[in-house]
Amino acid sequence: MLLKTSKMPAIRDSHVVKIAVQFELEIAQLIEFDQRQPLTAIIQNLCPYWVIQDPENYALSFTDNCFYVTEKNRHEVKNGSVLRMAYSPSKLASDILEKLQTGKVDEMMKVLKKLPGLSQDITFALEFIKEQGLDLIVSTIEEPKFGENILSFALSAFVKLMYHGTVSWDVLQPSFILRNIAFISNSNNKEIIQSALTILENVVQNSSNYALVERDVTLEMLLKLLQDSPSSSAVNTIALINALFIKADDAKRKVIAATFSSKQYRSVINSVITAGTGTGTITEIAHQLYVLQTLILGLLEQPMKTPIDAQDQEAQEKIKELRRIAFEADGIDPIPDVMARRQHGGSYSTHYKKLGFKCDINPAQDFMEVPPGVLALDCMVYFARNYTQNYTKVVHENSCRADEHECPFGRTSIELVKVLCDILRIGDSSLEQGQDFHPMFFTHDHPFEEFFCICIVVLNRTWKDMRATTEDFVKVFSVVREQITRSITGRPASLEDFKTKINTFTYNTITTLRQQERTSREECESTASAIVSLKEKITPEIMSLIKEQRLGYLVVGTRFSKYSGGKRERDKYWYARLSPNHKVIHYGDCDEKTVPTLEELNNKLPVIDIRQMLVGKECPHMKEMRAKKSTFPLGFSLVAESSDQQTLDFVAPDEATFNYWTDGINALLDQPMLSKQKDDDFETLLSMEIKLRLLDTEGVDISKDPPPIPPEPENYDFCFDS
């Protein structure tokens, strides 16, 4: 007998999508767009519906961005897409060029308004450039007779055409570059200035004629731009400054950095930050300021990676200055005796030991490690010169401490500079999308050194709060790093704000925050479906482990005090223990010190004969104790399976013993363990087991919900390699 087969659903062709195509104000066509069919054929099939006679002059474009549909991007056409029939790139480019060549201002304005938007599409841009359209735009920009409206659209179109990278910036003539330099110094039109700044930035970065920009564009000119329009052209201005900085040699870079560290420039940068925040352009400005910050701080890379030469006289003088300021400024000299100094070889090794150097004979050896190299010594000398009181206080406080608790100024300063360089990524190139700039570094002429001076004081305070020794060096710096990173997260506006912020993050505060975050993370993870499933899986194992521990406790046994008439009998004890096979409870009299063996315990109660366990008020011997106003609540009784229902009565010496025995008896009777101790043990063991199993996922966020199941494939025709 043949089985009746059901009708199979039609298999949908994955290469065909259903879309709509619009043309001007006509009624749209609903068509099936076959990805395997050439676009020219699709266009030819569409044209008769709207009676279009020249299909070769038309193309399809997306309606959302007006970009042309090409053979490369046609895969972006999906079910439900709406396309538009428009003039082809070649037709549109020739029409625009024809109107530009007439020289009539009205017609030029009409097409130039559309040109920047059209030029964003690389398909149109390539066609326009191929027809010499870029040359025509350049000549329009260089022509002095055109007004600002024409120039602003022409410059914008030029920037969009060059954005695609199909034309080298080296093709630009010096006259064009000088024309754009004139725009940023003489024009008042913000669109013209922004486009000119963008062009000059790209010339500096990508053209061999960048020397023209370096020569004629001064920092004073750019400062004036920032002052006059901090919110409109700030991004482009700072981008040009960054480009000049990158191209400059070391000497010029130091000049640029020094210029922007001056008070006049710092105030302008702060006004830019404020204006950017108010206008919502902070994202773009933040990136350019981040790049500028990276470049300025990058000047510290050379001293950071330069070890001190032991024979460097300047370095030796700086080290001596550290000693002199610390010990001779107030007439303090730990080695006042001339003869004693001679015994030390004249090296003041005791001074340098008190300063916390590893090599107290020749401290220059401490600065051989790179990073931080020479930079560490420069920061230490800056601290000693500019904050002499704080410097001497730090040194003398540590000199008076016990040796094991002193905070070695030299060693910790060197390590701190290394940490600061790591946090600020000094020496690393800027990230393409980076925005991690800090306004406080634009508020002082020596921002890094000031940053160090604040942090070294905090480090010493943290060392004292932790009562640390040199063995705790790594732990202290773990806390200090966190204090710094937490303090700069909110981008303090000034170094004084940073100082106020970091002073709130004491060692106790950091410890509390760590605990709160750890608890919060564990609570969040504990509700995740994956963790809940894992807990359900390992719960039986944990309960089995607790049961095993309880029974093991009963096997070892416990000494109990004897009670009579509700009172404890002095120096009288009895002992109870479970047999190793968990079948019999042995009990009998004992003394205060001896632990009897099973054979010495003459009385037995088979586990199988235990009918039930009574706890607390239900126990018969607890009634006598209540009558005598006794204060022993830790009683339990085992009721034997006999006609007179005899009981074996216990009074536990403490709560832990009570919990262990009652849990153990319940385990023997296959009853649930009910003590609070069992709950605590379960939570502890479960938490520990979960943490051990999740060690490999440290630092990975565990979602509360499982990831969504992906949709089924269109077909199951999978290909397997044999």
Side-chain angles (χ1 to χ4, degrees), residues 386-404:
N386 295 276
Y387 298 92
T388 304
Q389 185 175 357
N390 285 340
Y391 168 68
T392 54
K393 180 181 178 182
V394 167
V395 173
H396 294 160
E397 278 186 356
N398 287 292
S399 299
C400 297
R401 291 185 199 171
D403 289 341
E404 67 274 11

Side-chain angles (χ1 to χ4, degrees), residues 446-644:
H446 296 285
F448 184 82
E449 291 83 352
E450 289 287 322
F451 190 46
F452 167 82
C453 292
I454 296 171
C455 294
I456 191 64
V457 174
V458 172
L459 188 154
N460 276 269
R461 185 192 67 197
T462 302
W463 188 286
K464 286 193 293 185
D465 291 345
M466 294 178 67
R467 296 185 60 80
T469 66
T470 52
E471 294 180 355
D472 302 315
F473 200 84
V474 175
K475 293 180 182 178
V476 173
F477 273 91
S478 171
V479 175
V480 171
R481 176 185 282 270
E482 190 166 345
Q483 289 172 318
I484 296 169
T485 53
R486 285 182 183 273
S487 300
I488 64 176
T489 299
R491 289 183 180 174
S494 66
L495 287 161
E496 194 61 35
D497 290 344
F498 168 74
K499 182 178 180 180
T500 302
K501 186 74 173 177
I502 198 171
N503 283 332
T504 64
F505 287 112
T506 62
Y507 169 61
N508 290 332
T509 303
I510 293 295
T511 303
T512 302
L513 290 172
R514 284 178 172 179
Q515 181 60 41
Q516 290 174 350
E517 290 170 357
R518 182 163 51 248
T519 302
S520 176
R521 184 172 62 252
E522 289 175 356
E523 288 177 355
C524 181
E525 290 179 352
S526 65
T527 60
S529 59
I531 304 300
V532 171
S533 299
L534 179 59
K535 286 182 177 179
E536 292 175 354
K537 180 180 179 181
I538 64 178
T539 290
E541 300 176 19
I542 302 298
M543 293 303 297
S544 176
L545 184 62
I546 295 174
K547 178 179 178 181
E548 182 181 343
Q549 186 272 337
R550 298 298 195 261
L551 294 177
Y553 186 84
L554 268 60
V555 169
V556 173
T558 305
R559 180 184 295 104
F560 296 93
S561 297
K562 280 192 173 184
Y563 288 82
S564 177
K567 292 183 178 181
R568 177 181 175 184
E569 297 183 22
R570 185 179 179 86
D571 298 331
K572 289 189 177 182
Y573 302 93
W574 67 287
Y575 205 92
R577 65 192 308 173
L578 180 66
S579 62
N581 61 7
H582 302 168
K583 292 185 177 181
V584 180
I585 295 177
H586 297 255
Y587 62 96
D589 294 340
C590 69
D591 57 32
E592 187 177 359
K593 297 181 180 180
T594 306
V595 176
T597 63
L598 286 177
E599 291 74 15
E600 294 173 339
L601 299 173
N602 299 324
N603 302 309
K604 299 179 182 180
L605 175 62
V607 173
I608 197 172
D609 290 343
I610 299 175
R611 179 179 178 184
Q612 67 178 123
M613 178 176 64
L614 303 177
V615 179
K617 297 178 182 180
E618 300 174 355
C619 302
H621 65 300
M622 295 301 292
K623 296 178 182 178
E624 296 181 359
M625 291 185 177
R626 290 199 303 275
K628 298 291 184 178
K629 297 183 180 180
S630 175
T631 57
F632 295 92
L634 304 176
F636 61 97
S637 300
L638 303 181
V639 181
E641 189 72 51
S642 61
S643 58
D644 55 356

Side-chain angles (χ1 to χ4, degrees), residues 216-232:
D216 293 349
V217 176
T218 63
L219 294 178
E220 290 74 14
M221 185 189 303
L222 298 177
L223 174 64
K224 185 176 184 302
L225 281 176
L226 290 175
Q227 286 176 322
D228 293 343
S229 54
S231 60
S232 59

Side-chain angles (χ1 to χ4, degrees), residues 13-74:
D13 191 342
S14 61
H15 297 287
V16 178
V17 293
K18 294 183 178 181
I19 65 169
V21 182
Q22 298 175 335
F23 175 67
E24 296 180 349
L25 299 178
E26 301 290 336
I27 298 174
Q29 290 192 57
L30 301 178
I31 67 168
E32 290 187 346
F33 187 90
D34 191 341
Q35 293 285 11
R36 296 164 297 186
Q37 189 177 11
L39 287 173
T40 53
I42 294 174
I43 293 169
Q44 286 179 345
N45 293 334
L46 286 168
C47 287
Y49 182 83
W50 293 302
V51 196
I52 296 174
Q53 302 298 328
D54 50 347
E56 68 277 2
N57 287 331
Y58 286 87
L60 294 173
S61 67
F62 296 97
T63 54
D64 53 351
N65 55 21
C66 296
F67 286 5
Y68 284 103
V69 179
T70 65
E71 295 295 344
K72 289 183 178 180
N73 66 11
R74 62 184 297 165

Side-chain angles (χ1 to χ4, degrees), residues 318-371:
K318 288 181 179 179
I319 294 171
K320 290 178 182 178
E321 186 177 358
L322 289 175
R323 178 193 60 76
R324 187 166 54 254
I325 294 175
F327 299 113
E328 296 181 4
D330 298 322
I332 301 172
D333 190 350
I335 316 176
D337 191 340
V338 176
M339 292 301 296
R341 276 203 206 115
R342 290 177 180 173
Q343 290 176 1
H344 284 79
S347 64
Y348 292 94
S349 61
T350 302
H351 289 190
Y352 296 135
K353 185 176 181 180
K354 292 297 183 182
L355 280 170
F357 289 110
K358 288 182 183 178
C359 182
D360 51 27
I361 302 299
N362 183 11
Q365 295 290 333
D366 287 25
F367 300 97
M368 297 297 290
E369 180 184 0
V370 290

